């Protein structure tokens, strides 16, 4: 599973778990990808690989008919735009390769073995360096022409918030206003170091996340929203988002808001959802 900061390389046989794992820091492409391939060799120890799953940060081209299939697109991660992670990681692997986003891996795993196991329509949001999201509905992970970009849903600005945006593409998207990068730049400290500012930061974070979820549910009404990532560890954030949703939604659309939803929860699989989902690809 691939995030902006760390790549988790793991082996497993499916069914919601993994056996061995190693973490590789995300640095420049060449050295990072070399380490990933080396980690695969070490973990498999000469045993044949039945399949390789890649759960990558985005945006990534998932169109199988595209000349740039498997390539990272306009990512703010310096040096990674145009890198074909599928080709680079799989070039020495003689096995089927499955690829999707890290958040789609997470929603897949949470639906089958985590917090979403009793729901048919589930969204997963990860709020860390950036904001990403995936949706499971009607028996599958949802895609369109490419993967969803839920983190770039436009949101209104809180009337007392004068912070501009951490997103290089938009002034007022969910990622720009609610990511861990936005938290650090707005408050002058990382989420875990906010001290007495934590309550105010949690309330503002919940305000923005609620508006993003409202926009998501206007298009795909889900029953459950799982919020993970580093910022999700703000004390009381999930309950605060649920409260903010009542104000944001106006009880519309009727499904789910007039029915008291969606439910807001933490991941059932903790930080392992993405890598567990990657094994399933």
């Amino acid at each position: 599973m691939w995030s902006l900061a760390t790549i988790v390389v793991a082996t497993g046989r499916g069914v919601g778990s993994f056996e061995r794992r190693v973490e590789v820091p995300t640095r420049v492409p060449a050295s990072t990808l070399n380490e990933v391939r080396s980690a695969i060799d070490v973990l498999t120890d000469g045993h044949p690989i039945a399949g390789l799953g890649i759960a990558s940060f985005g945006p990534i081209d998932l169109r199988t008919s595209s000349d740039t299939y498997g390539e990272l697109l306009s990512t703010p991660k310096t040096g990674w735009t145009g890198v074909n992670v599928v080709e680079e990681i799989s070039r020495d692997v003689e096995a089927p390769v499955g690829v999707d986003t890290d958040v789609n891996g997470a929603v897949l795993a949470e639906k089958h073995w985590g917090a979403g196991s009793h729901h048919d329509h589930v969204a997963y949001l990860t709020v860390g360096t950036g904001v990403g999201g995936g949706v499971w509905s009607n028996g599958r992970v949802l895609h369109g022409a490419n993967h969803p970009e839920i983190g770039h849903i436009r949101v209104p600005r809180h009337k007392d918030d004068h912070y501009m945006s951490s997103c290089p593409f938009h002034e007022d998207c969910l990622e720009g206003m609610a990511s861990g990068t936005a938290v650090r730049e707005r408050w002058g400290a990382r989420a875990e170091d906010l001290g007495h500012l934590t309550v105010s930061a949690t309330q503002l974070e919940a305000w923005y996340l609620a508006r993003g979820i409202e926009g998501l549910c206007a298009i795909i009404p889900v029953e459950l929203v799982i919020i993970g990532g580093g910022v999700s560890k703000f004390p009381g954030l999930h309950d605060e988002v649920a409260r903010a949703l009542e104000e944001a939604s106006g009880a519309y659309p009727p499904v789910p808001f007039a029915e008291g939803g969606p439910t807001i929860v933490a991941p059932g699989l903790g930080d392992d959802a993405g890598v567990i989902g990657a094994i399933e690809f």
Side-chain angles (χ1 to χ4, degrees):
M1 194 278 290
W2 202 308
S3 73
L4 285 172
T6 306
I7 301 109
V8 178
V9 184
T11 58
R13 302 175 187 274
V15 298
S17 65
F18 55 86
E19 296 165 358
R20 304 173 65 196
R21 63 175 279 167
V22 64
E23 294 190 9
V24 175
T26 307
R27 296 187 290 263
V28 297
S31 61
T32 301
L33 293 166
N34 280 334
E35 287 190 49
V36 170
R37 288 189 294 267
S38 296
I40 292 172
D41 291 340
V42 169
L43 290 178
T44 55
D45 194 24
H47 293 89
I49 299 174
L52 175 65
I54 301 172
S56 175
F57 68 83
I60 183 171
D61 191 346
L62 298 179
R63 300 168 297 170
T64 55
S65 60
S66 170
D67 292 339
T68 56
Y69 172 71
E71 235 179 64
L72 292 171
L73 304 174
S74 299
T75 174
K77 185 70 173 175
T78 304
W80 285 87
T81 297
V83 174
N84 196 309
V85 295
V86 175
E87 289 182 0
E88 290 292 331
I89 295 174
S90 66
R91 67 187 188 194
D92 298 322
V93 175
E94 295 182 2
V97 178
V99 60
D100 209 324
T101 60
D102 47 2
V103 282
N104 278 345
V107 76
L108 172 66
E110 287 286 345
K111 161 57 191 171
H112 288 300
W113 301 289
S117 59
H118 298 297
H119 298 270
D120 294 323
H121 310 282
V122 180
Y124 184 100
L125 291 179
T126 183
V127 189
T129 305
V131 176
V135 177
W136 174 281
S137 185
N138 293 318
R140 63 189 179 96
V141 175
L142 297 187
H143 297 83
N146 202 34
H147 60 81
E149 286 282 6
I150 293 169
H152 293 275
I153 289 175
R154 299 300 183 94
V155 291
R157 289 176 174 271
H158 191 283
K159 62 182 179 62
D160 297 323
D161 185 20
H162 303 293
Y163 172 71
M164 289 301 294
S165 174
S166 69
C167 177
F169 306 106
H170 309 119
E171 293 184 355
D172 53 1
C173 66
L174 187 60
E175 177 168 300
M177 304 309 292
S179 65
T181 304
V183 168
R184 185 182 69 251
E185 292 179 353
R186 179 189 285 114
W187 299 98
R190 297 178 304 170
E192 58 268 35
D193 299 326
L194 287 174
H196 71 282
L197 296 172
T198 300
V199 172
S200 296
T202 299
Q203 291 174 342
L204 186 60
E205 187 72 15
W207 193 92
Y208 280 117
L209 289 173
R211 270 94 189 145
I213 292 168
E214 177 194 16
L216 168 65
C217 286
I219 301 169
I220 307 169
V222 296
E223 306 160 311
L224 184 79
V225 178
I226 303 164
I227 303 178
V231 177
S232 73
K233 297 178 175 62
F234 270 157
L237 178 70
H238 296 85
D239 290 341
E240 193 66 35
V241 171
R243 284 192 289 270
L245 266 174
E246 293 185 20
E247 172 199 351
S249 71
Y252 191 91
V255 178
F257 292 117
E259 297 181 347
T263 304
I264 310 296
V265 299
L269 301 173
D271 296 331
D272 294 327
V275 69
I276 291 172
I279 291 170
E280 294 303 310
F281 290 165

